Amino acid sequence: MATNSAAIVVGRLLEIRAAAGYRSAAEVDELFDAIDREIAKLPASTQIVTAADWRQCPIMNTEASDRVLQRIVALNPRTERSSAIASLRSPTAVLQFMRLIREARLSDRKMFFDAEEQIEFLGEGLTSAGRARLRVFLSYYRPHLPLLA
């Protein structure tokens, strides 16, 4: 069964996997509360580099999407660079993700469809150990049933 997760495994690289998606604001809060707990482990002056994997995340309802935007914006002050990888198998979800990134208003937050491009973008802000961990994180992608919408 697909799940959502957030972890800092190496350095300041925040790994977010949204494989289960979000059906409610409560589900969004559950993941973002986990994100807050991970960030709290770092010194307050440390900026994070976020890698989000949205390749399995289906389209969200309006309530969940609005809450994701609110919670992403709240992370802007702690974020140096952020990116998400998405799948072109769900063009409607991609449009939704693009809107979230645009409306979050952080110039160093981008969306990719290619893991190597995401690694290049985020790697500028990571140590060699962080880049190696990012590669491992992004290599775990096992498409399941085709996405709809």
Side-chain angles (χ1 to χ4, degrees), residues 81-128:
R81 193 168 273 228
S82 176
S83 69
I85 189 165
S87 171
L88 290 171
R89 294 182 309 130
S90 182
T92 305
V94 166
L95 289 173
Q96 185 177 55
F97 301 154
M98 290 174 70
R99 180 189 68 83
L100 290 171
I101 289 171
R102 181 182 65 251
E103 291 183 8
R105 292 190 164 90
L106 181 69
S107 61
D108 282 326
R109 180 174 283 123
K110 302 191 182 303
M111 187 167 69
F112 295 94
F113 303 103
D114 179 81
E116 290 302 318
E117 290 176 7
Q118 187 179 21
I119 291 166
E120 183 178 330
F121 172 73
L122 291 179
E124 294 176 21
L126 297 172
T127 63
S128 59

Coordinates of all heavy atoms in Angstrom, one line a residue, residues 81-128:
R81 N 16.3 25.6 -1.3 CA 16.0 25.1 -2.6 C 15.0 24.0 -2.5 O 15.1 23.2 -1.5 CB 17.3 24.7 -3.3 CG 17.2 24.4 -4.7 CD 18.7 24.3 -5.2 NE 19.1 25.6 -5.6 CZ 19.7 25.9 -6.7 NH1 20.0 25.0 -7.6 NH2 20.1 27.1 -7.0
S82 N 14.1 23.8 -3.4 CA 13.1 22.8 -3.3 C 12.7 22.4 -4.7 O 12.6 23.2 -5.6 CB 11.8 23.3 -2.5 OG 10.8 22.4 -2.5
S83 N 12.4 21.1 -4.8 CA 11.9 20.6 -6.1 C 11.1 19.4 -6.0 O 11.2 18.7 -4.9 CB 13.1 20.3 -7.1 OG 13.8 19.2 -6.7
A84 N 10.2 19.2 -6.9 CA 9.4 18.0 -7.0 C 9.6 17.3 -8.3 O 9.8 18.0 -9.3 CB 7.9 18.3 -6.7
I85 N 9.5 16.0 -8.3 CA 9.5 15.2 -9.5 C 8.1 14.7 -9.7 O 7.5 14.2 -8.8 CB 10.6 14.1 -9.6 CG1 10.6 13.5 -11.0 CG2 10.3 13.1 -8.5 CD1 11.9 12.7 -11.2
A86 N 7.6 14.8 -10.9 CA 6.2 14.3 -11.2 C 6.2 13.4 -12.4 O 7.2 13.4 -13.2 CB 5.3 15.5 -11.4
S87 N 5.1 12.8 -12.7 CA 5.0 11.9 -13.8 C 4.0 12.5 -14.8 O 3.0 13.0 -14.5 CB 4.4 10.5 -13.3 OG 4.1 9.7 -14.5
L88 N 4.4 12.4 -16.1 CA 3.6 12.9 -17.2 C 2.4 12.0 -17.4 O 1.6 12.3 -18.3 CB 4.4 13.1 -18.4 CG 5.4 14.2 -18.4 CD1 6.3 14.2 -19.6 CD2 4.7 15.6 -18.3
R89 N 2.3 10.9 -16.7 CA 1.2 10.0 -16.9 C -0.1 10.5 -16.4 O -1.2 10.0 -16.7 CB 1.4 8.6 -16.2 CG 2.6 7.8 -16.8 CD 2.8 6.5 -16.1 NE 2.9 6.6 -14.7 CZ 2.2 5.9 -13.8 NH1 1.4 4.9 -14.2 NH2 2.4 6.0 -12.5
S90 N -0.1 11.6 -15.7 CA -1.3 12.3 -15.1 C -1.2 13.8 -15.4 O -0.9 14.5 -14.5 CB -1.4 12.0 -13.6 OG -2.6 12.6 -13.1
P91 N -1.6 14.2 -16.6 CA -1.4 15.6 -16.9 C -2.2 16.5 -16.1 O -1.8 17.7 -15.8 CB -1.9 15.7 -18.4 CG -2.4 14.3 -18.7 CD -2.1 13.4 -17.7
T92 N -3.4 16.1 -15.6 CA -4.2 17.0 -14.7 C -3.5 17.2 -13.4 O -3.5 18.3 -12.9 CB -5.6 16.4 -14.5 OG1 -6.2 16.2 -15.8 CG2 -6.5 17.4 -13.7
A93 N -2.9 16.1 -12.8 CA -2.2 16.3 -11.6 C -1.0 17.2 -11.8 O -0.7 18.0 -11.0 CB -1.8 14.9 -11.1
V94 N -0.3 17.0 -12.9 CA 0.9 17.9 -13.2 C 0.5 19.4 -13.2 O 1.2 20.2 -12.7 CB 1.5 17.5 -14.6 CG1 2.5 18.5 -15.1 CG2 2.2 16.1 -14.4
L95 N -0.7 19.7 -13.8 CA -1.1 21.1 -13.8 C -1.4 21.6 -12.4 O -1.1 22.7 -12.1 CB -2.4 21.2 -14.7 CG -2.2 21.1 -16.2 CD1 -3.6 21.0 -16.9 CD2 -1.3 22.2 -16.7
Q96 N -1.9 20.7 -11.6 CA -2.2 21.1 -10.2 C -0.9 21.3 -9.5 O -0.7 22.3 -8.7 CB -3.0 20.0 -9.5 CG -3.4 20.3 -8.1 CD -4.3 19.2 -7.5 OE1 -3.8 18.1 -7.5 NE2 -5.4 19.6 -7.0
F97 N 0.1 20.4 -9.7 CA 1.4 20.6 -9.0 C 2.1 21.9 -9.5 O 2.7 22.6 -8.7 CB 2.3 19.4 -9.3 CG 1.8 18.1 -8.9 CD1 2.2 16.9 -9.5 CD2 0.9 17.9 -7.9 CE1 1.7 15.7 -9.2 CE2 0.4 16.7 -7.5 CZ 0.8 15.5 -8.1
M98 N 2.0 22.2 -10.8 CA 2.6 23.4 -11.3 C 2.0 24.6 -10.7 O 2.7 25.6 -10.3 CB 2.5 23.4 -12.8 CG 3.4 22.4 -13.5 SD 3.1 22.3 -15.3 CE 3.8 23.8 -15.8
R99 N 0.7 24.6 -10.5 CA 0.0 25.7 -9.8 C 0.5 25.9 -8.4 O 0.8 27.0 -7.9 CB -1.5 25.5 -9.8 CG -2.3 26.7 -9.1 CD -3.7 26.4 -8.9 NE -4.0 25.3 -8.0 CZ -4.1 25.5 -6.6 NH1 -3.8 26.7 -6.1 NH2 -4.3 24.5 -5.8
L100 N 0.6 24.8 -7.7 CA 1.1 24.8 -6.3 C 2.5 25.4 -6.2 O 2.8 26.3 -5.4 CB 1.1 23.4 -5.7 CG -0.2 22.8 -5.4 CD1 -0.1 21.4 -4.9 CD2 -1.0 23.6 -4.3
I101 N 3.4 25.0 -7.1 CA 4.8 25.5 -7.1 C 4.8 27.0 -7.5 O 5.4 27.8 -6.8 CB 5.6 24.7 -8.1 CG1 5.9 23.3 -7.4 CG2 7.0 25.4 -8.4 CD1 6.5 22.3 -8.4
R102 N 4.0 27.4 -8.4 CA 3.9 28.8 -8.9 C 3.4 29.7 -7.7 O 4.0 30.7 -7.4 CB 3.1 28.9 -10.1 CG 3.0 30.4 -10.6 CD 2.1 30.5 -11.9 NE 0.7 30.1 -11.6 CZ 0.0 29.0 -11.9 NH1 0.7 28.1 -12.7 NH2 -1.2 28.8 -11.6
E103 N 2.3 29.2 -7.1 CA 1.6 30.1 -6.1 C 2.4 30.0 -4.7 O 2.1 30.9 -3.9 CB 0.2 29.6 -5.9 CG -0.7 30.0 -7.1 CD -2.1 29.6 -7.0 OE1 -2.6 29.2 -5.9 OE2 -2.8 29.7 -8.0
A104 N 3.3 29.1 -4.6 CA 4.1 29.1 -3.3 C 5.1 30.2 -3.3 O 5.7 30.6 -2.3 CB 4.8 27.7 -3.2
R105 N 5.4 30.8 -4.5 CA 6.3 31.9 -4.6 C 7.7 31.8 -4.0 O 8.1 32.7 -3.2 CB 5.6 33.2 -4.1 CG 4.4 33.6 -5.0 CD 3.9 34.9 -4.6 NE 3.0 35.5 -5.6 CZ 1.7 35.3 -5.6 NH1 1.1 34.5 -4.7 NH2 1.0 35.8 -6.6
L106 N 8.4 30.8 -4.3 CA 9.8 30.6 -3.9 C 10.5 30.4 -5.2 O 10.3 29.4 -5.9 CB 9.9 29.4 -3.0 CG 11.4 29.2 -2.5 CD1 11.8 30.4 -1.6 CD2 11.5 27.9 -1.8
S107 N 11.4 31.3 -5.6 CA 12.0 31.3 -6.9 C 12.9 30.0 -7.1 O 13.0 29.5 -8.2 CB 12.9 32.5 -7.1 OG 13.9 32.6 -6.2
D108 N 13.4 29.5 -6.0 CA 14.2 28.2 -6.1 C 13.4 27.0 -5.8 O 13.9 26.1 -5.1 CB 15.4 28.3 -5.2 CG 16.5 29.2 -5.8 OD1 16.6 29.2 -7.1 OD2 17.2 29.9 -5.1
R109 N 12.1 27.0 -6.2 CA 11.3 25.8 -6.1 C 10.9 25.4 -7.5 O 10.3 26.3 -8.2 CB 10.1 26.0 -5.2 CG 9.2 24.8 -5.1 CD 8.0 25.0 -4.1 NE 8.5 24.8 -2.8 CZ 8.4 25.8 -1.8 NH1 7.8 26.9 -2.1 NH2 8.9 25.6 -0.6
K110 N 11.2 24.2 -8.0 CA 10.9 23.8 -9.4 C 10.3 22.4 -9.4 O 10.4 21.7 -8.5 CB 12.2 23.9 -10.2 CG 12.8 25.3 -10.1 CD 13.9 25.4 -11.1 CE 14.6 26.7 -11.1 NZ 13.8 27.9 -11.3
M111 N 9.8 22.1 -10.6 CA 9.2 20.8 -10.8 C 10.0 20.2 -12.0 O 10.3 20.9 -13.0 CB 7.7 20.8 -11.2 CG 7.1 19.4 -11.2 SD 5.3 19.4 -11.3 CE 5.0 20.1 -12.8
F112 N 10.2 18.9 -11.9 CA 10.9 18.1 -12.9 C 10.2 16.9 -13.3 O 9.4 16.4 -12.5 CB 12.4 17.8 -12.4 CG 13.2 19.0 -12.2 CD1 13.3 19.5 -10.9 CD2 13.9 19.5 -13.2 CE1 14.1 20.6 -10.7 CE2 14.7 20.6 -13.0 CZ 14.8 21.2 -11.7
F113 N 10.5 16.3 -14.5 CA 10.0 15.1 -14.9 C 11.1 14.0 -15.1 O 10.9 12.9 -15.4 CB 9.2 15.2 -16.2 CG 8.1 16.2 -16.1 CD1 8.2 17.5 -16.7 CD2 6.9 15.9 -15.4 CE1 7.2 18.4 -16.5 CE2 5.9 16.8 -15.3 CZ 6.1 18.1 -15.8
D114 N 12.3 14.5 -14.9 CA 13.5 13.7 -15.1 C 14.4 13.8 -13.8 O 14.7 14.9 -13.4 CB 14.3 14.2 -16.3 CG 15.6 13.5 -16.5 OD1 15.5 12.4 -17.1 OD2 16.7 13.9 -16.0
A115 N 14.7 12.6 -13.2 CA 15.4 12.6 -12.0 C 16.8 13.2 -12.1 O 17.3 13.9 -11.2 CB 15.6 11.1 -11.5
E116 N 17.5 13.0 -13.2 CA 18.8 13.6 -13.4 C 18.8 15.1 -13.3 O 19.7 15.7 -12.8 CB 19.5 13.1 -14.7 CG 19.9 11.6 -14.6 CD 20.8 11.3 -13.5 OE1 21.8 12.1 -13.2 OE2 20.6 10.3 -12.8
E117 N 17.8 15.7 -13.9 CA 17.6 17.2 -13.9 C 17.4 17.7 -12.5 O 17.9 18.7 -12.1 CB 16.5 17.6 -14.9 CG 16.9 17.4 -16.3 CD 15.8 17.8 -17.3 OE1 14.7 18.3 -16.8 OE2 15.9 17.6 -18.5
Q118 N 16.6 16.9 -11.8 CA 16.3 17.3 -10.4 C 17.5 17.2 -9.5 O 17.8 18.0 -8.7 CB 15.2 16.4 -9.8 CG 14.7 16.9 -8.4 CD 13.6 16.0 -7.9 OE1 13.4 14.9 -8.3 NE2 12.9 16.6 -6.9
I119 N 18.3 16.1 -9.7 CA 19.6 15.9 -9.0 C 20.5 17.1 -9.3 O 21.2 17.6 -8.4 CB 20.2 14.6 -9.3 CG1 19.3 13.4 -8.7 CG2 21.6 14.5 -8.8 CD1 19.7 12.1 -9.3
E120 N 20.6 17.5 -10.5 CA 21.5 18.6 -10.9 C 21.1 19.9 -10.2 O 21.9 20.6 -9.7 CB 21.5 18.8 -12.4 CG 22.4 19.9 -12.9 CD 22.5 20.0 -14.4 OE1 22.3 19.0 -15.1 OE2 22.7 21.1 -14.9
F121 N 19.8 20.2 -10.2 CA 19.3 21.4 -9.6 C 19.5 21.4 -8.1 O 20.0 22.4 -7.5 CB 17.8 21.5 -9.9 CG 17.1 22.6 -9.2 CD1 17.3 24.0 -9.5 CD2 16.2 22.4 -8.1 CE1 16.7 25.0 -8.8 CE2 15.6 23.4 -7.4 CZ 15.8 24.7 -7.8
L122 N 19.1 20.3 -7.4 CA 19.3 20.3 -6.0 C 20.7 20.0 -5.5 O 21.1 20.5 -4.4 CB 18.4 19.2 -5.4 CG 16.9 19.4 -5.4 CD1 16.1 18.2 -4.8 CD2 16.5 20.7 -4.7
G123 N 21.5 19.4 -6.3 CA 22.8 19.0 -6.0 C 23.7 20.2 -5.7 O 24.7 20.1 -5.0
E124 N 23.4 21.3 -6.3 CA 24.2 22.5 -6.1 C 24.3 22.9 -4.6 O 25.2 23.5 -4.2 CB 23.7 23.7 -6.9 CG 23.8 23.5 -8.4 CD 23.1 24.6 -9.2 OE1 23.0 25.7 -8.7 OE2 22.8 24.3 -10.4
G125 N 23.2 22.6 -3.9 CA 23.2 23.0 -2.5 C 23.5 21.8 -1.5 O 23.3 22.0 -0.3
L126 N 24.0 20.7 -2.0 CA 24.2 19.5 -1.1 C 25.7 19.1 -1.1 O 26.4 19.4 -2.1 CB 23.4 18.4 -1.6 CG 21.9 18.5 -1.6 CD1 21.2 17.4 -2.3 CD2 21.4 18.7 -0.2
T127 N 26.1 18.5 -0.1 CA 27.4 17.8 0.0 C 27.4 16.6 -1.0 O 26.4 16.2 -1.5 CB 27.7 17.4 1.4 OG1 26.8 16.4 1.8 CG2 27.7 18.5 2.4
S128 N 28.6 16.0 -1.1 CA 28.6 14.8 -2.0 C 27.8 13.7 -1.3 O 27.2 12.9 -2.1 CB 30.1 14.4 -2.2 OG 30.7 14.1 -1.0

